[in-house]
Amino acid sequence: MEPSSAPAHRGHVLWQRVLLAVSLLTFWNLPTTTQLSIESVPVNAAEGTDVLLLVYNVTEDLLGYGWFKGEKVENSQQIASYIVSSQVNVPGPAYSGRETIYANGSLLFQNVFQNDTGYYTIIVTTNHFDSKAASGQLRVFPKLPTPVVTSNNLNPLEHEDTVVLTCEPETQNTTYMWWINNRSLPDSTRLELSEDNRTLTLLHVTRNDTGPYVCETQNPVSAGRSDPFTLNVLWQEITPALSTGAIVGIVVGILVAVVLVAALGCFYFLARIKSHSCLQNNRVRCPPASTPGHGPSGSSVSLASQSDPKPAVPIYQELLHSDRDIYYGLNHKADVVSSSLPRNAS
């Protein structure tokens, strides 16, 4: 019978065989053709998720597996080894505590980071010390935050200012796209995109460039759209210039109006002078203006008084006569002196 320590001794020998097989492949360039193949599930992983490097076409009668970081087998880059008979994972120098090798040779990564992106290589060793190798790629991308549109000028002046819109934040391996009024960018000589499409330049903005603008970011694992961004384009209303004919017409009209006002003023002034002179020269007999066939406007003088042939006598002469009382009346409209009344006998 074998001693009780035989199983432990046999396990130690198996470990030595695996390590020997791995050491024989150290620093070798991997063959370009192999039956083994590796597929990343998912192909593109989001940061913080789990990824399985699935191995296909594994042969039977296996001794174990060895996983390495990179496309070459180097002891310093060994992640872990797996002993098929004991189903034991043996950590290597590049082990991070997040890797697990399954019985079919597949490697599980938990909570992947962006720096986990790269190539990984598996070495499969049989009990006959035959070895095969294959490499596969792991791609890890960040989950994109919601983008934000920023501007170098929030209140540009029409036809003068140039505006630069930027999609923030800047991330690697990201595709940037722009939308104006919910449509893709039109072909225009005033619109310029940067090489990575992250910035949009509007040359000599107009009032039709207010937007809204939306930027969209995409990578293989996520996408995001910004809130609409609207520009406040300032402009000045320009009144069309008047033609020469219009200006001449306005000037002529003003001159005609001035002449008419001056003529009316002169006429009124002369009429006032004539009326005043008439009253000074003949206060009694100076009638007001009248129309043909009618008496003086507003006058209370009778027809008899108008037909009186008696010449006009100044008032101061009538006042010299003591045999009559003189009553002086002034018409409020025509300034006419009423006739004097004779004194009654006592």
Side-chain angles (χ1 to χ4, degrees):
M1 295 181 58
E2 292 182 351
S4 58
S5 61
H9 178 71
R10 185 179 298 110
H12 180 68
V13 171
L14 291 175
W15 278 54
Q16 287 182 337
R17 289 180 180 178
V18 171
L19 293 177
L20 177 61
V22 170
S23 63
L24 291 174
L25 294 172
T26 303
F27 301 109
W28 285 10
N29 290 327
L30 296 177
T32 56
T33 59
T34 179
Q35 294 180 351
L36 288 176
S37 63
I38 299 173
E39 179 187 5
S40 176
V41 181
V43 176
N44 299 306
E47 191 172 21
T49 61
D50 297 343
V51 182
L52 180 66
L53 295 181
L54 186 60
V55 180
Y56 293 97
N57 303 323
V58 177
T59 60
E60 297 179 354
D61 192 23
L62 295 176
L63 181 61
Y65 310 100
W67 276 96
F68 298 81
K69 189 172 184 179
E71 295 183 89
K72 294 183 179 181
V73 177
E74 298 180 1
N75 285 334
S76 62
Q77 298 299 315
Q78 184 179 8
I79 298 173
S81 299
Y82 182 83
I83 309 300
V84 175
S85 60
S86 61
Q87 299 182 355
V88 175
N89 276 272
V90 181
Y95 181 71
S96 67
R98 297 178 292 115
E99 301 90 355
T100 302
I101 302 177
Y102 290 118
N104 63 355
S106 298
L107 178 65
L108 175 68
F109 277 91
Q110 294 178 310
N111 190 24
V112 293
F113 301 109
Q114 289 189 64
N115 57 8
D116 291 328
T117 298
Y119 283 90
Y120 293 84
T121 301
I122 184 174
I123 300 295
V124 178
T125 304
T126 67
N127 286 320
H128 301 288
F129 301 105
D130 294 329
S131 298
K132 294 182 180 180
S135 295
Q137 188 175 12
L138 173 62
R139 299 180 180 89
V140 182
F141 297 90
K143 292 181 179 179
L144 297 175
T146 301
V148 177
V149 177
T150 61
S151 173
N152 68 328
N153 191 343
L154 296 178
N155 300 293
L157 189 60
E158 186 179 30
H159 302 304
E160 294 188 11
D161 292 337
T162 293
V163 176
V164 178
L165 302 179
T166 305
C167 191
E168 300 286 359
E170 182 179 7
T171 53
Q172 295 181 350
N173 302 316
T174 302
T175 301
Y176 296 91
M177 293 180 292
W178 288 91
W179 307 87
I180 301 179
N181 297 321
N182 295 322
R183 297 180 180 180
S184 58
L185 294 181
D187 292 332
S188 175
T189 56
R190 295 191 304 103
L191 299 179
E192 295 181 356
L193 284 170
S194 60
E195 185 176 353
D196 60 356
N197 290 353
R198 183 169 166 259
T199 61
L200 173 63
T201 302
L202 289 74
L203 302 175
H204 308 298
V205 294
T206 68
R207 66 191 69 184
N208 297 324
D209 295 331
T210 55
Y213 297 85
V214 173
C215 76
E216 183 176 349
T217 55
Q218 291 182 356
N219 69 9
V221 298
S222 62
R225 271 199 171 198
S226 70
D227 291 332
F229 179 86
T230 302
L231 280 177
N232 181 29
V233 180
L234 306 179
W235 69 84
Q236 296 178 349
E237 293 291 346
I238 300 176
T239 303
L242 295 176
S243 63
T244 303
I247 296 176
V248 171
I250 292 174
V251 172
V252 170
I254 293 174
L255 292 176
V256 170
V258 171
V259 170
L260 289 176
V261 171
L264 290 175
C266 291
F267 178 78
Y268 179 75
F269 180 71
L270 292 175
R272 294 285 295 176
I273 291 176
K274 182 177 180 181
S275 175
H276 181 71
S277 176
C278 179
L279 291 176
Q280 291 294 328
N281 295 331
N282 191 358
R283 298 179 65 107
V284 177
R285 295 299 181 182
C286 184
S290 61
T291 58
H294 298 279
S297 175
S299 175
S300 60
V301 179
S302 64
L303 294 175
S305 64
Q306 290 181 3
S307 61
D308 187 3
K310 183 180 179 179
V313 180
I315 296 176
Y316 67 89
Q317 291 183 5
E318 293 185 1
L319 293 177
L320 294 178
H321 296 280
S322 59
D323 59 345
R324 60 176 61 180
D325 294 331
I326 304 299
Y327 292 89
Y328 177 77
L330 179 64
N331 186 287
H332 66 282
K333 293 183 179 179
D335 295 332
V336 178
V337 178
S338 64
S339 61
S340 59
L341 300 176
R343 179 183 303 176
N344 296 330
S346 56

